[in-house]
Every structure is written in C-alpha cells, then in structure tokens.
Amino acid sequence: MPRPPAPATPPRAWQRMLSGRRLDLLDPSPLDVEIEDIAQGLSRVARWNGQTKGDWAFTVAQHSLLVERIVGTLKPLTSAKWRLAALLHDAAEHVLGDLITPFKSQIGPHYKALEHRLLGAIHLRFGLPAALPQHVTDLLKRADKIAAFFEATLLAGFEEEEALRFFGRPRGFELQRLVALPPAEAKQRFLARFAALSEAAA
C-alpha cells in the first residue's frame, strides 16, 4: 500500500530581524517589534524607488521625520503621543518595503490588510492604539501628502503642476530644500526623535 504523502510544510512567513526577533508578517506580535529593527529597516528603504537626486537615497526614515515635523507645524498643540504615531506612520515598511502607490493599487486589498495588521502591532508595542482615532489619521494623511509634494518636486524630478495634480497644493508648510542623508545618520536621527517623543508621551 503506498505511503500517504507527507504534509506540506507551510511557507515561512516570518522575517528574522537583526535583534534576533522573528517577526511573523501574517500574525505579528507586538512582543517581536523592536525600535532598533524599525530604524535599521527604514533607514535603508528608499522612497520613490530610489529615483531621487543626491548621493544617497531619500529613505523612509527621513520621510517619517519630515511627516512628524509637518504635523507639528500644522497643529502645534498635537500631543507627543500622536506625533509619535506620525513618526511611526510608515513603520511597517521596515519589513514590507515602500511600494509606490501605482503598484499598491494593482496588488489590491491584501497588501493593505497585511500593512494594517503589522502597523497595529507596532502601535501596541509603543503604547498607541492599534487603530488611531480618525482625526489623527486624517492629520497624518494630510502631512503625508504635503511631504510627498515636496519630495516629488525637490528630489524626484516632478514639475510643480504635475505634483499638484497628484498630491494637491500644500498649505500651512513651506520647504525650500531637502537633502538625502547617509543611512547611518538617518537611522540615528530617527532613533533620537523616537526617544524624545516616547519620553514626552510617557
């Protein structure tokens, strides 16, 4: 009698982090989230698929710092807790990467579900609600679009008219220059801002 086939081994769904954690991407636990891993990943993930001016890629770590800064400019009374949420708004990309919007729209809702689960675990790890209040989400989206406009026009070669069509006119924030940093410096700035906001929010 033929032997029944061995059960198939499920595909690996975890990412081994430099901290030694194994972060399950399908069922992430807050206990496997470390800020050093996030900073390491975000400081090496390029915005705009690396199609930016300068000797270095403009990384998601720098973008996160910019968005948090814009939030503080738009709403100076925003609490440290929600500014921390701004800093971490793209933290899932430390393992998922930064997919450009046209690609995300082709993948469909499965990517967004994965991203939301991972971001929820990150929020819980650092004392934030898994799902942010709507007014905070709206503020972060506004700041994110403003950051995208300036990155597009100052770094990614977009004409202003083209950027306005995609991102809208930025209001309440002015920026004349953006300079991409080496990954190590971007990482250290991200970690320093995280430490300051975490202490203020505690």
Side-chain angles (χ1 to χ4, degrees):
M1 185 173 182
R3 180 177 298 176
T9 303
R12 178 171 66 88
W14 51 265
Q15 162 80 46
R16 189 192 185 285
M17 315 305 291
L18 284 181
S19 65
R21 298 286 188 183
R22 291 187 177 186
L23 182 61
D24 189 324
L25 303 185
L26 300 182
D27 186 21
S29 167
L31 298 176
D32 291 324
V33 173
E34 299 290 348
I35 193 59
E36 281 280 347
D37 293 331
I38 292 173
Q40 173 75 9
L42 296 187
S43 68
R44 298 188 178 200
V45 175
R47 290 275 290 170
W48 309 94
N49 278 343
Q51 300 300 307
T52 50
K53 301 173 185 176
D55 294 333
W56 305 98
F58 189 81
T59 64
V60 178
Q62 274 194 267
H63 167 76
S64 300
L65 288 162
L66 177 58
V67 168
E68 188 269 324
R69 176 180 157 202
I70 292 171
V71 164
T73 299
L74 294 176
K75 300 284 186 181
L77 297 181
T78 299
S79 69
K81 177 180 181 178
W82 302 136
R83 291 186 69 158
L84 179 61
L87 185 71
L88 296 172
H89 79 284
D90 276 341
E93 294 179 4
H94 81 290
V95 287
L96 299 182
D98 183 25
L99 301 185
I100 61 173
T101 301
F103 190 32
K104 284 183 183 179
S105 67
Q106 295 302 312
I107 294 175
H110 298 295
Y111 176 85
K112 292 303 292 183
L114 185 67
E115 186 178 49
H116 286 156
R117 281 198 300 273
L118 185 51
L119 191 56
I122 292 167
H123 283 169
L124 292 174
R125 171 66 176 83
F126 300 118
L128 299 169
L132 301 177
Q134 190 60 48
H135 74 278
V136 176
T137 298
D138 292 343
L139 177 60
L140 300 193
K141 285 182 178 177
R142 181 183 172 195
D144 200 26
K145 278 198 168 185
I146 291 173
F149 174 87
F150 286 114
E151 291 170 18
T153 53
L154 297 177
L155 293 173
F158 281 60
E159 296 295 335
E160 182 172 326
E161 182 179 343
E162 184 180 27
L164 288 172
R165 287 203 310 271
F166 292 116
F167 310 114
R169 183 172 296 282
R171 301 184 187 280
F173 189 86
E174 294 294 331
L175 190 62
Q176 303 298 323
R177 187 167 177 258
L178 276 177
V179 178
L181 300 173
E185 185 174 348
K187 176 181 176 179
Q188 289 309 312
R189 290 192 186 192
F190 181 92
L191 287 171
R193 190 60 184 147
F194 173 84
L197 290 171
S198 295
E199 183 177 357

